Amino acid sequence: MDKASVLHNFIKQRGLKITKNRLMVLEYLKKNKKPMAVEDISKSLKLNIVTTYRILESFVSTGLIYQTDFRKGKSFFEFQDANHHHHHITCIKCDLREHIDFCFSAKIERDILKSTSFEKVTGHIIEFFGICSKCNK
Ligand SMILES: [Zn+2]
Ligand SMILES: [Zn+2]
Ligand SMILES: [Zn+2]
């Protein structure tokens, strides 16, 4: 399957209509492989910020991308493959951000199900903050 039809499928599978702008935003997020701010996406793609935000919202609500907050008062958006679920740790001084390639939620989820009335956990957002080795000197 070529690259364009892979993107088409991602969007179609979520029940969204395929548009040129949606394809462009998805390709951009997929290529960048890191959390991106709306402002940066809109600027790089020369796409109106409201349009960009609407596209991102449609992707987030259908689970195609992941939205997170690094305590900067703005949201960041990242494409996450089903087989590459991961977390981040961000330096509170210089904003250096690294991926954490493992997840530890299975036990926590069992405890949540035991202590609440829920029967299923379908997702979670966990971000870590710290001080990188450069800033700690
Ligand atoms: Zn990431
Ligand atoms: Zn740092
Ligand atoms: Zn996780």
Side-chain angles (χ1 to χ4, degrees):
M1 221 183 331
D2 62 61
K3 218 175 78 192
S5 51
V6 171
L7 292 175
H8 270 89
N9 276 353
F10 272 125
I11 297 175
K12 227 169 35 198
Q13 275 163 11
R14 308 289 170 162
L16 294 170
K17 224 175 74 196
I18 293 162
T19 65
K20 202 177 102 251
N21 288 343
R22 277 190 175 144
L23 285 169
M24 194 165 72
V25 171
L26 187 60
E27 182 177 23
Y28 181 77
L29 288 176
K30 217 167 167 278
K31 202 174 61 200
N32 274 282
K33 293 189 170 68
K34 61 175 188 189
M36 308 285 299
V38 189
E39 292 80 0
D40 301 328
I41 301 168
S42 144
K43 215 182 286 164
S44 318
L45 296 177
K46 297 186 178 59
L47 200 61
N48 172 290
I49 191 137
V50 179
T51 310
T52 310
Y53 199 75
R54 279 207 195 111
I55 292 172
L56 292 169
E57 270 190 325
S58 73
F59 286 169
V60 171
S61 65
T62 51
L64 187 54
I65 63 170
Y66 164 95
Q67 176 177 7
T68 195
D69 183 341
F70 296 108
R71 292 182 179 170
K72 295 287 170 190
K74 59 181 181 185
S75 290
F76 291 80
F77 299 85
E78 182 181 36
F79 177 78
Q80 282 210 10
D81 244 292
N83 48 20
H84 188 225
H85 168 79
H86 65 269
H87 298 277
H88 307 97
I89 182 160
T90 304
C91 177
I92 55 171
K93 298 205 166 160
C94 71
D95 283 343
L96 170 77
R97 189 166 298 137
E98 289 183 11
H99 283 137
I100 302 167
D101 280 318
F102 54 89
C103 187
F104 26 70
S105 72
K107 187 187 177 303
I108 301 170
E109 285 178 13
R110 277 197 302 274
D111 291 343
I112 291 168
L113 296 182
K114 252 186 269 168
S115 60
T116 66
S117 68
F118 280 68
E119 290 188 354
K120 210 175 173 153
V121 177
T122 54
H124 59 265
I125 296 173
I126 306 171
E127 300 300 349
F128 295 90
F129 299 91
I131 296 168
C132 75
S133 57
K134 223 170 82 200
C135 293
N136 202 32
K137 278 186 187 132

